[in-house]
């Protein structure tokens, strides 16, 4: 019998401030219904992705978890090789946050999330502090392997530094060549907080910009690949979303070329 084809993997990892690692490239599943989330997760794993970014808000933790579990079983890949992120939707109370984490774990059919984020800073300093404490405690209990935040501005990160609390391992914010948030990037980098880029393709709204088209033509790549390569070279974790198996595959073809300094500047519009 011929040996089975090796399973592809795009598992380049960054080390987070808690010593754990995160694949720098993953699939985002925002605005996918159950079937789309299930199919796209499987297509991404087939294409070599090892990281999926879901959220309570997206209402698709269940199909993502199901797709990962089934795919791992069928392909003889240890479940621990797939990095799964989810996020807390409501910033209400410590108890509510802790309960919501448990509900998300159950929906995703996992014992722990590799990464779990406070989805937004909404609520004011005291609520943020309470919610963060719930995430810290859930991590101590082994329910969450790493914890981070999302959509935190400079002042929210500074607030955590001033409170002397454990700092997040990542801050997931909108980052792409047209949205660079230099002040947030600076405070995160100074404190060894990894930037995760949501909307790394600018939701496909700026693919026809002349600077993007020019660099894409020079490199023989499509506009999406130029956006993603830009994020990768900045050291951001990038989680492009697509429901198309073809685009899921082409979005991952970004590890065999490089943008030079001038090209990086040119596409930073
Ligand atoms: N933390 C937060 O608050 C937050 C907010 C938003 C998003 N996120 C996360 O970040 C992920 C990515 O962000 P996003 O989904 O907002 O936007 P995005 O990844 O920047 O763009 C997705 C859009 O680009 C299209 N697309 C993908 N690949 C393409 C290609 N090669 N050519 C042409 N079009 C392409 C997709 O359409 P098709 O699906 O039809 O391919 C979709 O319309 C989300 O899915 C989610 O996991 C987090």
């Amino acid at each position: 019998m011929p040996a089975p084809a090796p399973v592809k993997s795009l598992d380049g990892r960054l080390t987070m401030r808690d010593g754990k690692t995160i694949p720098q490239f993953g699939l985002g599943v925002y605005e996918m219904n159950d079937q789309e989330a299930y199919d796209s997760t499987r297509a991404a794993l087939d294409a070599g992705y090892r990281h999926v970014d879901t959220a309570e808000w997206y209402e698709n933790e269940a199909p993502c978890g199901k797709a990962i579990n089934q795919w791992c079983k069928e392909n003889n890949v240890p479940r621990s090789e797939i990095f799964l992120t989810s996020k807390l939707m409501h910033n209400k109370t410590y108890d509510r946050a802790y309960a919501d984490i448990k509900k998300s774990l159950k929906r995703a059919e996992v014992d722990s999330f590799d990464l779990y984020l406070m989805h937004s800073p909404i609520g004011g300093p005291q609520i943020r502090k309470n919610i963060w404490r719930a995430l810290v405690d859930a991590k101590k209990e082994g329910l969450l392997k790493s914890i981070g935040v999302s959509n935190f501005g400079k002042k929210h990160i500074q607030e955590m530094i001033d409170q002397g609390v454990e700092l997040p391992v990542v801050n997931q914010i909108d980052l792409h060549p047209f949205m660079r948030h230099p002040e947030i990037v600076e405070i995160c980098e100074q404190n060894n907080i990894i930037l995760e880029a949501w909307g790394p393709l600018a939701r496909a709204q700026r693919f026809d910009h002349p600077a993007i088209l020019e660099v894409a033509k020079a490199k023989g790549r499509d506009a999406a690949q130029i956006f993603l390569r830009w994020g990768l070279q900045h050291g951001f974790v990038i989680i492009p979303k697509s429901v198309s198996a073809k685009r899921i595959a082409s979005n991952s073809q970004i590890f065999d070329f490089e943008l030079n300094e001038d090209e990086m500047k040119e596409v930073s519009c």
Side-chain angles (χ1 to χ4, degrees):
M1 218 165 72
V7 180
K8 274 193 276 176
S9 169
L10 301 162
D11 199 17
R13 285 176 173 253
L14 301 178
T15 300
M16 300 184 282
R17 56 178 295 123
D18 63 3
K20 302 207 172 64
T21 61
I22 179 170
Q24 198 183 353
F25 185 77
L27 177 75
V29 297
Y30 180 46
E31 290 182 326
M32 288 191 195
N33 64 31
D34 279 16
Q35 192 63 51
E36 287 170 336
Y38 179 84
D39 292 343
S40 303
T41 298
R42 288 193 63 114
L45 296 172
D46 282 340
Y49 292 52
R50 292 293 177 269
H51 173 179
V52 178
D53 181 88
T54 182
E56 185 186 356
W57 179 280
Y58 310 161
E59 295 183 352
N60 56 23
E61 292 163 310
C64 291
K66 186 175 164 196
I68 293 170
N69 288 342
Q70 290 183 349
W71 185 90
C72 284
K73 221 180 232 178
E74 289 165 24
N75 289 280
N76 226 0
V77 171
R79 172 63 189 78
S80 56
E81 283 191 15
I82 316 300
F83 190 99
L84 181 61
T85 299
S86 194
K87 317 183 190 85
L88 179 77
M89 177 154 71
H90 299 290
N91 292 352
K92 298 284 188 197
T93 63
Y94 174 98
D95 288 343
R96 167 81 188 266
Y98 203 89
D100 287 352
I101 291 168
K102 288 198 153 175
K103 283 186 199 157
S104 281
L105 288 166
K106 199 166 173 208
R107 278 193 292 267
E109 293 178 48
V110 285
D111 298 329
S112 63
F113 285 115
D114 298 285
L115 176 63
Y116 191 81
L117 310 180
M118 194 191 310
H119 206 143
S120 95
I122 283 172
Q126 191 54 49
I127 289 188
R128 281 193 287 277
K129 197 173 178 187
N130 294 346
I131 300 298
W132 186 245
R133 198 162 49 80
L135 266 63
V136 169
D137 287 350
K139 181 165 74 94
K140 282 187 197 142
E141 297 282 326
L143 302 179
L144 311 174
K145 291 189 181 132
S146 295
I147 52 175
V149 295
S150 181
N151 300 305
F152 269 42
K154 182 182 176 182
K155 76 167 191 179
H156 304 118
I157 298 290
Q158 189 60 51
E159 177 182 283
M160 296 183 89
I161 294 168
D162 295 343
Q163 286 169 347
V165 297
E166 175 178 337
L167 291 183
V169 295
V170 309
N171 184 16
Q172 185 181 112
I173 59 172
D174 51 337
L175 275 174
H176 53 71
F178 296 82
M179 181 65 75
R180 299 192 297 282
H181 293 301
E183 286 193 348
I184 307 178
V185 170
E186 186 184 29
I187 194 168
C188 288
E189 288 182 346
Q190 281 168 351
N191 289 282
N192 195 14
I193 297 167
I194 288 177
L195 275 310
E196 253 195 296
W198 69 251
L201 297 169
R203 301 208 161 136
Q205 298 296 304
R206 309 302 300 269
F207 286 173
D208 57 356
H209 190 282
I212 303 293
L213 291 176
E214 194 179 316
V215 174
K217 191 172 170 207
K219 297 313 235 193
R221 299 287 169 153
D222 66 31
Q225 291 166 332
I226 300 302
F227 269 71
L228 297 174
R229 186 69 212 181
W230 179 91
L232 201 66
Q233 285 184 217
H234 273 285
F236 305 148
V237 171
I238 46 175
I239 45 170
K241 171 260 177 188
S242 181
V243 292
S244 146
K246 198 167 154 224
R247 290 191 285 278
I248 285 170
S250 67
N251 288 345
S252 72
Q253 306 302 308
I254 55 169
F255 296 91
D256 58 348
F257 75 103
E258 212 170 320
L259 300 176
N260 64 34
E261 217 174 296
D262 289 342
E263 290 163 340
M264 284 293 280
K265 278 194 198 132
E266 197 178 341
V267 298
S268 296
C269 299

